[in-house]
Amino acid sequence: MNKERTRVLIVDDEEIVRESLSGWLEKDGYTVETAEDGPTAVDKVNRATWSVMLIDMKMPGMDGLQVLDRVKQIQPNVTAVIMTAFATVDTAVSAMKLGAYDYLVKPFDPEELSMMMEKIVAQQALVRENVILRRALKREFRFRDLVSKSTAMQQVFNLARTAARSQSTILVLGESGTGKELMARAIHSESPRAGGPFVAVSCAALTESLLESELFGHERGSFTGAFQRHKGKFEAAQHGTLFLDEIGDIGPKLQADLLRVLEEKKIQRVGGTETLDVDVRIIAATNRDLAKAVADGSFREDLYYRLNVIPVVLPPLRERREDIPLLVDHLLEQLSVETERRIEGVSHEAMALLMNHAWPGNVRELRNVLERAVVVAAGSVIQATDLGLHKPDAAAPEESIATLESVERRHIAHVLEQTGGNVTQAARILDIDRVTLYNKIKKYHLRETETA
Amino acid sequence: MAAIYLWWIGADAADRDLLEQVRQQVGRTFEAPAVLWDDPSRPTGTYDTRRGQHSSTQILRWLAAHQPPGAMKTLAITDVDLFIPVLTFVYGEAQLGGRAAVVSMARLGDGTARVSPAMVSARLVKEAVHELGHTFGLTHCGSERCVMTRSVNMAGVDRKAAVLCADCRTVYRDRLLEGYDQ
Ligand SMILES: [Zn+2]
Ligand SMILES: [Zn+2]
């Protein structure tokens, strides 16, 4: 319990109120002190830290509003509750504009007081937890932009730190959204090549011939449309690191070319005859099972062994759920800066939902969910309903890995449901334009969820 | 060992059977002699005409000043409705770690359509033990079955037992060693 740590200051000019109210709260285990007037209260606030203050509105000399104003200047984080007679409720409401947390109309129900105190303690515990997490985050639980406190991931971090200092080729393995590119960047930053360039290429995005010229460059006139001599990514990454994402998707020709570069450390531009020395460290990544691709003949065995000198395997998020609170905190900090919104954390109910989700899209999916929640959240704490996640149900089988399309379809359908089929609103939440959304609605046959 | 005194300060005549049930449970729970104290004196100046209730805090003040000789703790039992100035009502009040406590029967009979006398006495026994627990320095307990859990409604009172849970019992024994029974 946090009650002993909750220090309460009661400010009231009536002795019997101070006596009975402090008695009531002490029996609940709180640490309580009292002040009989505004100046005494301000003095106590100057000399010690308080978690909660119960301030009477009507007092001779300095009234509750004036006390609140002074107190908020000294301790902005104190949770202040105004006690008021029914006749002065309007003033109590203006006290809330001054930063009071709530007000109680005298006489109040015992239940009302106790529930309010419990709510305050729970919220303060949440904030304190966040502060502790944030501090921890800055120290041991991160490897550049990757954060984790799970044992499995800590081992991965240690391996990656060691690997970074070597010159070896590294193969990063893991499902989509697990942070393979962040890992590659982190390794680069921790390596002796940190001063050189980091160049990332997605091998799945281009046709084989385009990818070839993208990687190795080409000479003028080497193919139709090659009007200019073009330097490739290998040259761009000189003395740095070249990150080849989705390496499992490259065809046989490129596999052979790549093998040659790894062996000879020389490249030839497409259509060129000159060989260039390259000093580039390769980090490759894939979400495919390369060993299986080797077994069925779609990936060269010799290239596989060349790439797989040091394998770094990123576990999926569902296998390290203990990292979710840490990641939520880390991502919310980033998102707060990006969106200029002050988000303190997520409610316990929301956290429970996040912890129980299957996360087929891993950390990237978590980031997307939070990004949307930050947009829709009404207050500074994200509530369960802001997440747009369904309670765990049969539609989200725990272990089967959903395709990106099925996740996208489900997510769009859900957002449309939330907006009552309002495409403009849904597009804003999804952060895509309306035309794109209409196309996706058509593609996924979601038209029936659109209301006329 | 000094005794726990139970003192009827109600407006109506005392119900001896009811007080006897409280006395027995108090004695069992605190493993201390409990006695009924007969005295016609009543606290004065505790009635608030505007609210039509009695101030439990003022009753405690009066009680502390009128301790029967030889009393370790004194529990006043009444049939009038109690309040503390900022709250609408209370079932009882006690000085935390002090000598005086008070409980009221006024609200123990309402709530449901038919409340038997046995029900009322069961509730009174619980609230009496609860308030006396406070005078021994016990604070509210997180276990809803424990007599020291805070009850703000009848359902809460009915849910709890008339005895201390294992944790509270341990704390109680520690408090005795610290001299809370002096
Ligand atoms: Zn109590
Ligand atoms: Zn207990």
Side-chain angles (χ1 to χ4, degrees):
Chain A
M1 287 306 251
N2 298 292
K3 285 180 174 174
E4 302 75 25
R5 286 163 67 184
T6 304
R7 290 168 42 81
V8 185
L9 182 61
I10 296 164
V11 190
D12 200 302
D13 57 317
E14 274 184 88
E15 193 198 348
I16 194 149
V17 171
R18 293 198 301 275
E19 186 184 342
S20 57
L21 198 53
S22 63
W24 180 268
L25 294 175
E26 271 168 1
K27 284 163 204 149
D28 263 342
Y30 299 109
T31 303
V32 188
E33 276 191 41
T34 61
E36 71 270 19
D37 55 28
T40 313
V42 171
D43 188 48
K44 283 186 183 255
V45 171
N46 268 319
R47 280 194 274 153
T49 307
W50 302 93
S51 322
V52 185
M53 282 181 77
L54 295 175
I55 307 169
D56 187 32
M57 179 62 89
K58 208 168 136 263
M59 289 185 289
M62 229 176 145
D63 72 7
L65 229 50
Q66 290 169 300
V67 175
L68 175 67
D69 198 29
R70 286 289 304 279
V71 162
K72 278 279 165 185
Q73 285 168 27
I74 307 163
Q75 285 183 30
N77 290 329
V78 71
T79 302
V81 175
I82 296 290
M83 296 182 293
T84 179
F86 187 70
T88 56
V89 166
D90 279 352
T91 336
V93 171
S94 58
M96 291 183 69
K97 289 190 186 119
L98 268 177
Y101 168 82
D102 207 346
Y103 66 88
L104 291 165
V105 180
K106 289 196 280 189
F108 33 88
D109 237 44
E111 202 163 359
E112 196 184 349
L113 174 63
S114 297
M115 274 168 57
M116 190 198 68
M117 288 300 294
E118 264 158 36
K119 207 172 129 196
I120 291 172
V121 169
Q123 288 199 357
Q124 290 183 343
L126 185 70
V127 170
R128 204 163 28 232
E129 218 169 275
N130 278 345
V131 170
I132 292 166
L133 273 177
R134 222 164 261 152
R135 277 188 207 137
L137 213 54
K138 301 240 146 72
R139 291 197 310 270
E140 58 220 276
F141 297 139
R142 63 189 304 167
F143 180 47
R144 294 281 161 165
D145 282 332
L146 291 152
V147 295
S148 176
K149 67 186 176 89
S150 68
T151 323
M153 199 67 164
Q154 288 293 320
Q155 283 168 358
V156 174
F157 287 175
N158 288 338
L159 171 68
R161 280 194 188 97
T162 314
R165 273 173 255 128
S166 78
Q167 290 293 337
S168 309
T169 302
I170 293 171
L171 184 61
V172 184
L173 299 162
E175 292 176 13
S176 330
T178 46
K180 294 191 289 295
E181 179 164 348
L182 287 181
M183 175 52 89
R185 285 182 186 276
I187 291 171
H188 170 72
S189 311
E190 300 268 314
S191 77
R193 295 170 174 270
F198 175 88
V199 177
V201 182
S202 171
C203 300
L206 302 167
T207 62
E208 183 159 46
S209 60
L210 276 177
L211 182 59
E212 191 181 12
S213 100
E214 182 76 6
L215 288 175
F216 305 113
H218 57 78
E219 294 297 340
R220 191 178 157 193
S222 59
F223 57 88
T224 323
F227 301 116
Q228 303 248 311
R229 183 193 203 197
H230 171 76
K231 280 192 182 180
K233 298 292 188 193
F234 268 100
E235 284 175 79
Q238 190 71 301
H239 307 304
T241 304
L242 179 62
F243 174 58
L244 300 174
D245 199 4
E246 299 175 76
I247 193 80
D249 292 7
I250 63 171
K253 166 93 171 53
L254 258 180
Q255 290 180 25
D257 290 347
L258 214 51
L259 182 64
R260 194 169 340 107
V261 181
L262 286 169
E263 279 171 351
E264 295 167 10
K265 307 214 182 304
K266 287 181 199 310
I267 59 155
Q268 237 174 22
R269 295 197 188 108
V270 176
T273 48
E274 190 190 354
T275 51
L276 304 161
D277 289 329
V278 288
D279 167 33
V280 169
R281 188 221 205 130
I282 306 277
I283 301 178
T286 182
N287 54 10
R288 294 211 169 161
D289 185 348
L290 274 193
K292 209 173 133 232
V294 169
D296 69 25
S298 63
F299 203 86
R300 289 179 72 122
E301 188 173 16
D302 43 8
L303 177 60
Y304 174 62
Y305 286 116
R306 267 282 176 193
L307 292 172
N308 196 23
V309 178
I310 305 177
V312 171
V313 184
L314 297 175
L317 189 54
R318 65 184 169 278
E319 283 172 19
R320 49 182 185 106
R321 289 180 195 272
E322 67 266 46
D323 280 343
I324 290 173
L326 196 71
L327 283 163
V328 165
D329 191 64
H330 175 65
L331 295 170
L332 282 181
E333 202 174 54
Q334 285 182 352
L335 289 167
S336 294
V337 174
E338 282 173 29
T339 59
E340 292 179 6
R341 282 206 55 186
R342 203 172 68 92
I343 297 291
E344 281 170 10
V346 305
S347 72
H348 287 291
E349 203 194 334
M351 187 58 86
L353 209 54
L354 291 170
M355 297 285 283
N356 286 311
H357 186 64
W359 300 116
N362 292 297
V363 184
R364 185 181 301 138
E365 185 190 358
L366 174 61
R367 193 182 202 281
N368 291 345
V369 166
L370 291 175
E371 192 170 349
R372 176 190 174 280
V374 167
V375 173
V376 300
S380 63
V381 173
I382 290 175
Q383 305 297 323
T385 47
D386 298 330
L387 295 172
L389 287 175
H390 289 298
K391 295 230 156 63
D393 57 21
E398 178 86 0
E399 293 306 329
S400 83
I401 298 162
T403 63
L404 199 55
E405 286 200 339
S406 74
V407 171
E408 188 180 57
R409 185 189 189 279
R410 248 199 337 251
H411 187 57
I412 292 173
H414 177 67
V415 172
L416 283 168
E417 195 185 303
Q418 295 267 299
T419 61
N422 183 325
V423 175
T424 309
Q425 221 183 320
R428 193 175 54 79
I429 291 167
L430 293 162
D431 197 21
I432 55 176
D433 59 55
R434 273 168 53 236
V435 177
T436 309
L437 182 54
Y438 272 120
N439 287 336
K440 287 183 189 292
I441 288 169
K442 218 166 117 189
K443 177 179 166 194
Y444 294 132
H445 309 289
L446 290 167
R447 203 163 276 278
E448 60 275 16
T449 49
E450 236 184 304
T451 48
Chain B
M1 196 190 201
I4 298 168
Y5 280 59
L6 308 177
W7 187 350
W8 174 259
I9 58 161
D12 284 350
D15 177 340
R16 305 296 302 190
D17 289 348
L18 183 64
L19 294 180
E20 180 55 25
Q21 287 184 46
V22 176
R23 191 190 71 77
Q24 286 184 14
Q25 187 61 38
V26 162
R28 270 198 294 272
T29 306
F30 297 106
E31 295 162 339
V35 294
L36 298 180
W37 175 251
D38 261 322
D39 190 317
S41 317
R42 295 290 179 264
T44 50
T46 62
Y47 187 69
D48 185 308
T49 45
R50 206 164 33 91
R51 297 187 54 156
Q53 295 169 300
H54 288 261
S55 161
S56 59
T57 311
Q58 280 177 357
I59 292 175
L60 291 186
R61 282 182 186 175
W62 180 87
L63 213 54
H66 294 79
Q67 287 280 310
M72 162 173 70
K73 310 285 179 193
T74 306
L75 173 74
I77 305 168
T78 183
D79 51 3
V80 300
D81 197 20
L82 302 177
F83 77 100
I84 73 172
V86 291
L87 297 182
T88 48
F89 75 91
V90 289
Y91 297 133
E93 201 190 344
Q95 296 173 325
L96 188 64
R99 286 176 178 277
V102 59
V103 285
S104 164
M105 300 173 55
R107 290 179 186 252
L108 302 182
D110 59 27
T112 48
R114 233 192 293 147
V115 181
S116 66
M119 190 73 145
V120 174
S121 77
R123 289 170 175 176
L124 180 66
V125 166
K126 291 174 194 178
E127 288 310 291
V129 171
H130 179 99
E131 295 306 337
L132 279 167
H134 284 316
T135 64
F136 285 102
L138 297 179
T139 54
H140 287 149
C141 177
S143 154
E144 66 170 25
R145 290 278 300 146
C146 174
V147 76
M148 289 315 293
T149 196
R150 178 192 54 218
S151 308
V152 287
N153 54 42
M154 269 309 123
V157 177
D158 290 339
R159 218 166 18 238
K160 67 187 179 185
V163 294
L164 299 172
C165 71
D167 287 350
C168 288
R169 177 147 298 280
T170 307
V171 176
Y172 173 64
R173 298 239 162 91
D174 289 347
R175 293 288 185 263
L176 291 189
L177 296 174
E178 291 161 19
Y180 276 74
D181 54 344
Q182 297 306 299

